[in-house]
Amino acid sequence: MTSLRTQAVSDARTVLHDLWRGGKGWILLTVSAGWFLSIGGRYLYPSVLPFLRQTFGFDLTTAGLLLSALWFAYALGQFPGGLLGDRIGEGNILVISTAICAAAMLLVSVSVTVWMLFLATAAFGFGTALYGPHRFTIFTDIYTDRAGTAVGLTMAFGSIGNTVLPAVAAAIAGYATWRLGFGFVVPLFVVMAVGIWIVVPSRTSTAASEDGDGDDGDAAGASLSAASIRRLLSTVKRGGIPTVVVVHIALAFVSQGFLGFYPTYLIEAKGFSPQLAAVVFGLYFAAGTVVQPLTGMSKDRFGAKWTLALLAGVFFVGLVALQFGQTLPHFLLLTVLLSHRNGVGVVTNTYIADTLPTDIKGSGLGLLRTSWLLIGATSPILVGYLGDLGRLTDAFVVLAGVAGVATLLTLLIPTRSEEAV
């Protein structure tokens, strides 16, 4: 036992040294903190949704449309975000993203009509989308053997944001007003934009300078020529990328419907208070802070196939068992099982970013993320519509079925040895 403990400590020190050396650690911390706000801000919506419905008087279908507007905008911004990052630099696009989020969230907090709320929400979704692809590409640029671990840590920061920010927003909305529940993050976004500008290099990739000084913007991934698009499409058809994308599409569909209405499900189907539902909702992401770094290390060590199969399988089991939960301890345990979904993006995004050529890494990943997020964004509409029919529980059964199919599809992903052949 002593030798195992000593080895574990030694391995942990090696990992931390690899992540921190050469000033990379500050980049990791800053990008992670930005992701803490970016994704945490998006998940303010499910926890504050009951208060929005009370103020604006909309039903569950309209609530689903609001969530879908957020995720449609987030999906549509992925490819432009990746493309612009390839052209003007990954760090620069993160600064722009964070600044847009600050302005959009301010508009959300002062919305007085449903249309204003929808438009501000879409603007926020688009702003966060610009951040999406490059929290992966930056780390595959600066880390050679620890990209999965770095991405896992970054997504763990996001899970902390999803744990803390929705719970704080629900508490503020309950004791003061939902407007402050959104508005309190505005100054945080402003500070974060300045921090990213100071710490993160304007460009981490070498794509723009491989053929010159990098000022002409002629990198293959930075233009929309027919040739570059054909190359991009041919690249994403290689190896295990298509299967990984299909798995992620299915799980994205399940995830958006589940996360968008999990607090509402706990309130309306299980009798929880909004504040308690927000706490259980936060546990999903709190557990993710453990799942995601472990997922990154598992992916680096054992490969994408079996890591993804385990994550999808446990998520599926949690969704099935959710129908039989009755008490708070049941839902706390089930939420921990469901939290394994948090690790899926670590595997799929890192796998794709590692596989794509450097000069089209951002635009390629952005294009793929747009495809799966667009499909995933339709899920809240379906769940909300079924909820208005009094069939919210049935909607969660449908989501469980899709997760089961995704679990089986992971078995088709090639292993490392098969890809090397």
Side-chain angles (χ1 to χ4, degrees):
M1 288 296 293
T2 302
S3 61
L4 289 175
R5 187 181 301 112
T6 302
Q7 182 63 42
V9 171
S10 176
D11 290 345
R13 287 176 177 172
T14 300
V15 170
L16 289 175
H17 177 265
D18 290 345
L19 292 174
W20 194 261
R21 65 182 177 181
K24 297 175 183 178
W26 289 113
I27 299 174
L28 173 60
L29 286 178
T30 305
V31 173
S32 298
W35 186 238
F36 168 99
L37 278 178
S38 182
I39 192 169
R42 290 203 303 277
Y43 286 111
L44 297 180
Y45 282 86
S47 66
V48 182
L49 199 57
F51 302 97
L52 293 177
R53 292 181 62 202
Q54 184 178 12
T55 298
F56 293 99
F58 50 67
D59 56 17
L60 286 175
T61 302
T62 306
L65 287 170
L66 177 67
L67 296 171
S68 288
L70 174 68
W71 289 106
F72 272 125
Y74 182 66
L76 292 173
Q78 296 292 316
F79 182 53
L83 192 69
L84 286 171
D86 286 343
R87 173 176 283 274
I88 67 174
E90 297 81 3
N92 289 333
I93 202 66
L94 296 193
V95 174
I96 293 171
S97 166
T98 310
I100 292 174
C101 288
M105 193 55 78
L106 178 62
L107 290 177
V108 169
S109 67
V110 299
S111 294
V112 293
T113 67
V114 172
W115 283 111
M116 186 176 179
L117 177 65
F118 267 74
L119 290 174
T121 295
F124 181 72
F126 187 85
T128 63
L130 301 179
Y131 207 102
H134 295 295
R135 74 185 192 276
F136 300 105
T137 62
I138 284 173
F139 298 132
T140 56
D141 288 336
I142 68 175
Y143 294 111
T144 54
D145 299 323
R146 302 291 184 186
T149 303
V151 169
L153 288 171
T154 299
M155 295 187 73
F157 267 78
S159 289
I160 296 172
N162 294 337
T163 302
V164 175
L165 297 182
V168 171
I172 293 175
Y175 293 107
T177 169
W178 64 264
R179 297 183 186 280
L180 287 177
F182 284 109
F184 83 97
V185 299
V186 174
L188 300 179
F189 273 112
V190 173
V191 171
M192 198 67 251
V194 175
I196 294 172
W197 180 70
I198 293 173
V199 174
V200 181
S202 60
R203 178 178 294 279
T204 59
S205 67
T206 58
S209 59
E210 286 174 347
D211 299 319
D213 60 11
D215 295 330
D216 60 2
D218 289 334
S223 66
L224 279 176
S225 67
S228 65
I229 292 176
R230 284 195 300 270
R231 178 169 175 248
L232 179 60
L233 292 176
S234 66
T235 300
V236 300
K237 294 177 183 178
R238 297 175 184 170
I241 291 182
T243 306
V244 170
V245 169
V246 171
V247 169
H248 195 109
I249 286 174
L251 293 176
F253 179 87
V254 176
S255 179
Q256 297 313 326
F258 164 71
L259 291 175
F261 285 94
Y262 191 36
T264 301
Y265 173 84
L266 293 173
I267 293 166
E268 299 200 359
K270 303 298 180 179
F272 284 36
S273 68
Q275 287 78 15
L276 182 57
V279 171
V280 176
F281 184 59
L283 176 62
Y284 172 89
F285 299 106
T289 63
V290 177
V291 170
Q292 287 165 325
L294 292 177
T295 296
M297 289 185 282
S298 175
K299 189 266 177 189
D300 289 342
R301 183 168 183 179
F302 301 109
K305 178 174 183 173
W306 300 116
T307 302
L308 193 55
L310 175 63
L311 295 171
V314 174
F315 182 50
F316 164 67
V317 170
L319 285 170
V320 172
L322 192 65
Q323 315 306 317
F324 306 101
Q326 297 296 329
T327 66
L328 177 60
H330 289 160
F331 284 101
L332 293 177
L333 176 59
L334 291 173
T335 300
V336 171
L337 290 179
L338 291 163
S339 72
H340 284 69
R341 168 61 182 84
N342 285 290
V344 169
V346 177
V347 179
T348 56
N349 286 279
T350 307
Y351 179 92
I352 293 168
D354 279 340
T355 305
L356 292 172
T358 300
D359 61 326
I360 59 169
K361 187 181 293 185
S363 51
L365 182 58
L367 177 63
L368 292 173
R369 286 175 57 80
T370 291
S371 67
W372 67 55
L373 287 167
L374 279 174
I375 296 173
T378 63
S379 182
I381 301 175
L382 172 64
V383 176
Y385 174 73
L386 291 175
D388 280 334
L389 297 178
R391 302 177 61 185
L392 191 58
T393 299
D394 293 341
F396 275 62
V397 172
V398 172
L399 296 179
V402 177
V405 173
T407 302
L408 294 176
L409 288 175
T410 62
L411 302 179
L412 301 179
I413 298 173
T415 62
R416 285 173 175 172
S417 60
E418 291 170 339
E419 289 181 331
V421 174

